[in-house]
Amino acid sequence: MIEYVDNDKNSKMKHKSYLFSLDYGNRLEERKFVKDVLDNFNRFQLTGCGLFINNNPYNLEMYFSLSFEKADSDFDSWLSQNYPHKIRAYNVFLPELLEAASRKGYSLVTFTDSEYIEDIMTENKNELFLHPDRNVMYEAWGKPVLEKKKKVFLSHSSRDKIIVDQYFNELQKSELKVWYDKEEIIAGDSITSKVNEGLMDCELGILFLSNNFLSKQSGWTEAECNYFINSRMKKNKSLIVVNLGVDFEKIPPLLQDYKYIDHLNDTAIQELVESAIKQLKRI
């Protein structure tokens, strides 16, 4: 969120600006979000609203820009409740897009209500969108032969990495796509951003439950565990627990109901591989 202050000395007006990166190839779905915003916030709260569209076939982009004179805190609350996974554009700012639009790098359309959104964000190409929605292209040309594989997130304490490495290697040998922090995060990366990306990108969480995992000092594992439990309850992700020696009574109550894999069993790694494959097919 960017804050703009009117330079007029007689004005104390502050503008709060939001910018969201939307999926150019999925306009039918994205327009629900755009219409919902416009239907919930009127022109007295929302002082600016528009789409920036990049029709370069090598870099298709769509940004949704919002500017609030007031009620931005109401919008923050509404967004977190209704669209918690909507991500604000990172390091892309409104002045840059306006400057690019002036050079015809982006097309720009503004609106004040939801009446014309369906006419603007069509699934077929139009004057603003020079390329149709992804599904329209699939109908004409077929879907990609190599579809994106579902991914597995390895949630663990860094103190258990030697053990987790063994499971990771076998999952890779079985051609399962895995998000593993030691492979995904390099020097200079934001750990928080990378972990958030991994959590959103993975359909299955594998929780390596150990005393280290449950330690009060291990805030990351607690947050990851809570995320997959909540997602499992909403039935949009799943989880598997690998018990690295935690007594049953010490297992968090919400995990006690799940059948776990006992690391002490000789077949534990193979059992995990087979269970992961089956769980991914169910999602």
Side-chain angles (χ1 to χ4, degrees):
M1 179 176 66
I2 313 159
E3 182 176 289
Y4 294 100
V5 181
D6 197 318
N7 290 324
D8 187 342
K9 293 181 180 179
N10 297 319
S11 173
K12 295 183 179 179
M13 187 182 301
K14 294 182 179 180
H15 298 279
K16 305 294 181 68
S17 178
Y18 296 76
L19 201 62
F20 296 91
S21 178
L22 304 185
D23 186 353
Y24 182 109
N26 192 16
R27 296 191 291 278
L28 285 188
E29 187 65 29
E30 295 287 23
R31 75 186 185 191
K32 296 177 185 176
F33 170 57
V34 175
K35 290 177 67 176
D36 213 4
V37 171
L38 293 169
D39 288 338
N40 280 276
F41 297 90
N42 60 43
R43 61 189 179 88
F44 298 105
Q45 301 164 307
L46 192 58
T47 57
C49 183
L51 290 175
F52 290 86
I53 304 151
N54 182 357
N55 284 296
N56 183 334
Y58 297 103
N59 189 34
L60 297 173
E61 294 175 300
M62 174 171 55
Y63 290 103
F64 181 35
S65 171
L66 301 170
S67 182
F68 286 88
E69 180 180 322
K70 53 186 176 180
D72 58 286
S73 59
D74 292 339
F75 177 71
D76 288 336
S77 177
W78 177 86
L79 185 71
S80 64
Q81 292 176 14
N82 295 279
Y83 294 93
H85 299 303
K86 277 296 177 189
I87 309 266
R88 296 173 191 168
Y90 177 68
N91 272 351
V92 181
F93 303 111
L94 185 58
E96 295 172 345
L97 290 178
L98 288 170
E99 196 274 333
S102 70
R103 294 185 284 101
K104 298 183 180 181
Y106 288 83
S107 299
L108 169 62
V109 58
T110 60
F111 30 76
T112 56
D113 57 53
S114 63
E115 181 179 357
Y116 300 108
I117 296 302
E118 291 191 9
D119 295 327
I120 294 171
M121 300 178 71
T122 61
E123 64 177 339
N124 291 304
K125 62 183 182 179
N126 56 37
E127 292 181 357
L128 286 166
F129 293 92
L130 304 185
H131 306 281
D133 254 18
R134 194 175 294 110
N135 285 334
V136 174
M137 294 296 290
Y138 287 166
E139 289 177 6
W141 299 95
K143 289 187 177 182
V145 176
L146 296 176
E147 293 191 12
K148 181 182 176 182
K149 274 191 172 184
K150 296 175 181 176
K151 292 179 72 173
V152 176
F153 187 98
L154 303 186
S155 179
H156 64 286
S157 166
S158 59
R159 297 177 183 177
D160 299 323
K161 270 223 173 0
I162 294 177
I163 296 174
V164 177
D165 279 345
Q166 301 172 37
Y167 287 87
F168 169 69
N169 289 331
E170 291 303 317
L171 289 167
Q172 289 283 275
K173 290 178 187 177
S174 299
E175 298 184 344
L176 288 171
K177 290 199 171 184
V178 176
W179 195 97
Y180 190 20
D181 60 357
K182 70 180 284 186
E183 299 294 336
E184 298 283 347
I185 303 175
I186 61 174
D189 284 343
S190 163
I191 297 175
T192 302
S193 295
K194 284 299 221 176
V195 171
N196 277 332
E197 290 172 9
L199 290 171
M200 287 187 292
D201 200 30
C202 293
E203 289 78 15
L204 175 63
I206 298 177
L207 313 181
F208 290 91
L209 209 61
S210 69
N211 291 321
N212 295 322
F213 187 102
L214 297 175
S215 169
K216 291 182 179 180
Q217 297 177 345
S218 190
W220 285 107
T221 53
E222 181 180 9
E224 293 163 4
C225 179
N226 290 339
Y227 174 80
F228 280 107
I229 290 175
N230 290 330
S231 298
R232 175 67 179 83
M233 290 178 175
K234 295 175 184 176
K235 299 183 178 180
N236 55 13
K237 293 181 188 286
S238 191
L239 63 87
I240 296 174
V241 175
V242 179
N243 191 339
L244 304 185
V246 176
D247 294 335
F248 181 80
E249 60 271 15
K250 292 183 180 179
I251 295 176
L254 291 178
L255 287 179
Q256 289 181 1
D257 183 52
Y258 293 90
K259 180 181 178 181
Y260 61 74
I261 294 172
D262 188 344
H263 170 66
L264 296 180
N265 289 341
D266 293 338
T267 60
I269 294 179
Q270 185 57 35
E271 186 180 349
L272 175 63
V273 171
E274 293 174 358
S275 297
I277 293 171
K278 290 177 181 177
Q279 287 287 358
L280 288 170
K281 287 180 179 179
R282 292 178 181 176
I283 299 171

